[in-house]
Amino acid sequence: MRGSVHASADGLWFNLRVAPGALTVDSPPDSDALLVQGGQIAWVGRLADAVLPPATPRHDAGGCWLTPGLIDCHTHLVYGGQRANEFALRLAGASYEEVARAGGGIVSSVRATREASEDELLASASARLQSLLAEGVCAIEIKSGYGLSLAHERKQLRVARRLGELHGLTVRTTFLGAHALPPEYAGRSADYVDLVCREMLPALAAEGLVDAVDVFCERIAFSLAETEQVFQAAQALGLPVKLHAEQLSDMGGAALAARYGALSCDHIEHLSAEGIAAMRRSGTVAVLLPGAFYTLRDTQVPPIQALREAGVPMAVSTDHNPGTSPALSLLLMVNMACTLFRLTVPEALAGVTRHAAQALGLQDSHGQLGPGRPANWVLWPVGEVAELAYWLGQRPRPTVVRQGRITQTP
Ligand code: DI6
Ligand code: FE
């Protein structure tokens, strides 16, 4: 199986064990082989049934477990600087909200992001992305929200697009202009939200930089009414919405987001029964972010059992950001989702594949493997699938196929 990295993945892949839930429903359940042609999956089935064109290359998967390429569906990967100082302040007893109110928090990353050039941001985000790619991430969502002006939000979103081209992965960009109030708008929240809705979002959407729109709906950020104003602007442009909802308090954000057909509601530690019911009706994904829960030493666990009973799909993501989740391992998030939130291993793995794809509107192409889909998968050299959730601080080095190329071998 060792081959030159970035070689084409075209050919027959055999001797693989398919992880539960990895295949689309139209694929035979006892499959152990895949055929790739032109970077697309052409066939999935039993090796014995494979009908091969002449001179088909053969790739022996060596009995590895096969999962779809992983998907990190909530990140703030592009920013300047870092905030280790706040880690120390919180250890000394300050809360996240206190740090934010004292002028630290998001606004300090805004300063550093504004000072950085586009190329500097690209370099620092690329380095961080490498960790995720090495674990088999094939698609990622990247939010703006550390620029908070048209020019600086544009810079962040352009970096996000360039990361996709540079590294050959699927990037979904999310405009999070309503992340925090920039210092120059202190005390003028309404004016800033007007700017977001009337100038920033329409301009960035027209430039093709926005795949979805998000808001930080929270006491220390934007109100429910302000959130709705941003959602209306998104709706007018035909853009899907998602929401940072009920992370620190129950603002009723999830129910509002559901009314706008949100792709996802994220964090949701304080989600109410009404919020769950609304999300179920609208088919909104619940994105769980155990890295932020852990970093903030939160104790309010999201209502997992109620979400499970309601049949709300649950995704798991890093929420990578310099303040509350400096996490660069999606497998560690899988572990934490199990340990801290009591997800089962199959639930947590669906959370970084199928349900993460749904949180990005990518469910027709990503998150499961089947004929007609791009070749995005991971071959794990482990004895059993549960090892993907089990190891802490070390990861099995997998073979990665991304966008039809073999991008990593063990
Ligand atoms: N929720 C979060 O967890 C991050 N943003 C948000 O809206 C935190 C961002 C930061 O502290 O820099
Ligand atoms: Fe976030």
Side-chain angles (χ1 to χ4, degrees), residues 74 76 143 244 267 319 321:
H74 177 143
H76 310 247
K143 300 176 195 292
H244 280 73
H267 286 289
D319 188 20
N321 76 73

Side-chain angles (χ1 to χ4, degrees), residues 16-23 28-34 44-45 64-67 369 385:
L16 38 84
R17 291 189 281 177
V18 177
L23 302 181
D30 53 354
S31 301
D32 61 359
L34 287 163
V44 181
C64 282
W65 282 100
L66 172 76
T67 70
L369 301 170
V385 174

Side-chain angles (χ1 to χ4, degrees), residues 35 37 51-56:
L35 181 64
Q37 290 174 331
V51 179
L52 299 178
T56 299

Side-chain angles (χ1 to χ4, degrees), residues 93-178:
S95 73
Y96 180 63
E97 294 184 67
E98 283 162 0
V99 171
R101 289 187 200 283
I106 294 172
V107 165
S108 72
S109 291
V110 171
R111 273 193 299 275
T113 303
R114 287 177 173 181
E115 280 165 17
S117 70
E118 188 176 310
D119 285 343
E120 285 166 345
L121 292 176
L122 182 72
S124 61
S126 276
R128 293 189 281 266
L129 183 58
Q130 292 297 345
S131 304
L132 297 167
L133 294 177
E135 270 186 343
V137 166
C138 74
I140 187 171
E141 186 252 23
I142 301 177
K143 300 176 195 292
S144 68
Y146 291 117
L148 308 186
S149 72
L150 177 58
H152 293 295
E153 291 283 295
R154 176 188 288 125
K155 179 173 68 173
Q156 269 194 289
L157 292 169
R158 281 176 49 89
V159 170
R161 285 273 187 255
R162 287 174 66 189
L163 287 168
E165 290 155 20
L166 190 62
H167 297 279
L169 82 161
T170 303
V171 170
R172 301 300 279 177
T173 56
T174 298
F175 173 65
L176 180 57

Side-chain angles (χ1 to χ4, degrees), residues 164-251:
E165 290 155 20
L166 190 62
H167 297 279
L169 82 161
T170 303
V171 170
R172 301 300 279 177
T173 56
T174 298
F175 173 65
L176 180 57
H179 191 197
L181 200 57
E184 63 275 17
Y185 277 84
R188 294 189 295 135
S189 190
D191 291 346
Y192 181 65
V193 175
D194 280 347
L195 179 77
V196 163
C197 295
R198 296 197 188 140
E199 289 180 34
M200 291 162 72
L201 176 55
L204 296 170
E207 293 171 33
L209 288 171
V210 181
D211 296 326
V213 177
D214 191 355
V215 176
F216 189 16
C217 179
E218 195 52 71
R219 291 184 301 231
I220 54 168
F222 295 93
S223 69
L224 206 58
E226 290 167 333
T227 300
E228 180 156 22
Q229 199 184 327
V230 177
F231 283 177
Q232 281 174 354
Q235 196 173 55
L237 294 165
L239 293 169
V241 301
K242 31 181 64 228
L243 190 65
H244 280 73
E246 347 292 22
Q247 179 186 9
L248 309 171
S249 60
D250 179 12
M251 304 269 295

